[in-house]
Amino acid sequence: MGRYLFQRLSLLVPVMLGVTLVAFITLHLAPGDPVRVLLGELGQGASQEEIARLRSTLGLDAPLPVQYGRFVWRAAQGDLGRSLRTGAPVLDEVLARAPFTLVVTVASLGIALAIGIPAGVLSAAYRGSAVDHAAMLLALMGVSLPVFWLGLLLMLVFALALGWLPASGFGTWKHLVLPAVTLGLASSALIARMTRSSLLEVLGQDYIRTARAKGLSGRIVLLRHALRSALIPIVTVVGLQLGGLLGGAVLTETVFAWPGLGRLAVGAIYSRDAPLVQGTILFTAIAFVLINLAVDLLYAMLDPRIRYD
């Protein structure tokens, strides 16, 4: 396990470099000159000398490889630059919004697991029955509906028509319900489908037939023997879904005016605040990489036969 952990951690270095390269290239492919954007907020009519001086101060006059090297060096030290709009350190702004995204992501994942795994288990246990068909129909609807459309539908029904929940904003637990349910329902559908297919495959194994031949009840065979073996592909999907929830937060937080990283990124894009966009992308990508690392380590814990090759 120690060798597996070391080798898996060593892969993080090239992955992180790739992430920083993508974030850096994304900044320079975006239209607009960040220097002129910054001057546009401070006042019009800047001379070419003032533009050149500010460009030099920001380090934007250096060749791109040099700028990338400086960016990586500063990022490695936790310095993601300063926001062009507010002048505050980008890392501080990102860290201030990250807890909001973390709360809605964790709540969404909890909803997805609470609905998806039981639905998948019931569907596999009653294969071919009305329960199976109903669960898979709902799962198909869940993966087919766009997240933003589902969010608007929930807002229309539960906020505007029934008045049970606030339509947007934050402050109480009621404000969390609609964003979390919007993200969680879409993920629960995929988890339910994966749980069903994985369980059905495991239930056909010889050791399951042996367990049944010993006289164990169907519930014990299903939950104690089959479900644990079926967890590895489910964990894979959950890890990918967790990353997807971080990405889906961009739409959901915008729809429900939730003050997380997604809304921060959208606001930064509208204001062409390039360092803030770059920092948000980098922070989210690193979080996604770390989630995948945790999933890989969980594989080895669930199945000791898994080793790094």
Side-chain angles (χ1 to χ4, degrees):
M1 184 65 185
R3 181 172 176 270
Y4 176 82
L5 177 62
F6 173 76
Q7 291 180 315
R8 189 62 185 83
L9 287 174
S10 64
L11 280 178
L12 286 183
V13 177
V15 172
M16 291 296 185
L17 285 175
V19 168
T20 57
L21 182 60
V22 170
F24 181 78
I25 292 176
T26 302
L27 169 67
H28 287 275
L29 288 179
D33 185 348
V35 176
R36 293 191 179 277
V37 171
L38 180 59
L39 287 173
E41 294 185 353
L42 298 177
Q44 298 293 331
S47 65
Q48 289 299 323
E49 289 76 13
E50 290 173 319
I51 293 175
R53 192 182 310 118
L54 182 57
R55 194 183 302 279
S56 176
T57 301
L58 295 175
L60 296 175
D61 57 341
L64 287 181
V66 175
Q67 290 186 45
Y68 174 66
R70 291 173 179 171
F71 171 67
V72 172
W73 176 249
R74 290 198 306 267
Q77 302 175 74
D79 180 9
L80 299 179
R82 290 182 174 273
S83 167
L84 296 181
R85 185 167 50 88
T86 65
V90 168
L91 186 60
D92 290 351
E93 294 210 17
V94 169
L95 292 178
R97 297 295 191 95
F100 292 97
T101 297
L102 180 63
V103 167
V104 75
T105 301
V106 171
S108 303
L109 185 62
I111 292 172
L113 293 175
I115 297 175
I117 290 182
V121 171
L122 284 175
S123 183
Y126 298 98
R127 181 182 185 183
S129 67
V131 174
D132 182 21
H133 294 312
M136 288 303 100
L137 178 62
L138 291 176
L140 181 61
M141 291 175 62
V143 296
S144 303
L145 294 176
V147 172
F148 72 94
W149 187 88
L150 180 60
L152 292 175
L153 179 64
L154 293 176
M155 182 189 295
L156 180 65
V157 174
F158 293 99
L160 301 182
L162 300 175
W164 292 352
L165 297 167
S168 61
F170 75 103
T172 67
W173 65 268
K174 290 185 177 181
H175 291 89
L176 177 63
V177 174
L178 287 182
V181 170
T182 300
L183 284 174
L185 284 180
S187 297
S188 67
L190 192 57
I191 291 174
R193 290 167 66 90
M194 178 53 69
T195 302
R196 178 184 183 273
S197 62
S198 181
L199 261 181
L200 289 177
E201 182 178 347
V202 171
L203 288 173
Q205 300 292 322
D206 290 338
Y207 74 94
I208 295 295
R209 286 192 285 270
T210 302
R212 285 174 173 158
K214 289 180 178 178
L216 296 178
S217 68
R219 178 181 298 178
I220 291 178
V221 171
L222 182 67
L223 299 181
R224 184 177 298 176
H225 296 277
L227 185 57
R228 177 168 182 173
S229 300
L231 277 179
I232 291 180
I234 298 173
V235 167
T236 304
V237 171
V238 171
L240 293 174
Q241 286 299 297
L242 191 54
L245 290 174
L246 288 173
V250 174
L251 290 174
T252 308
E253 291 176 359
T254 303
V255 170
F256 293 103
W258 186 262
L261 286 175
R263 196 174 175 208
L264 177 68
V266 172
I269 291 171
Y270 277 128
S271 61
R272 296 188 176 183
D273 192 339
L276 190 55
V277 174
Q278 198 174 44
T280 307
I281 293 174
L282 185 60
F283 186 87
T284 307
I286 290 175
F288 187 76
V289 170
L290 294 178
I291 288 170
N292 278 279
L293 172 64
V295 169
D296 285 350
L297 296 180
L298 194 56
Y299 286 163
M301 294 176 63
L302 289 172
D303 189 348
R305 295 172 299 176
I306 294 178
R307 292 291 181 268
Y308 180 84
D309 294 322

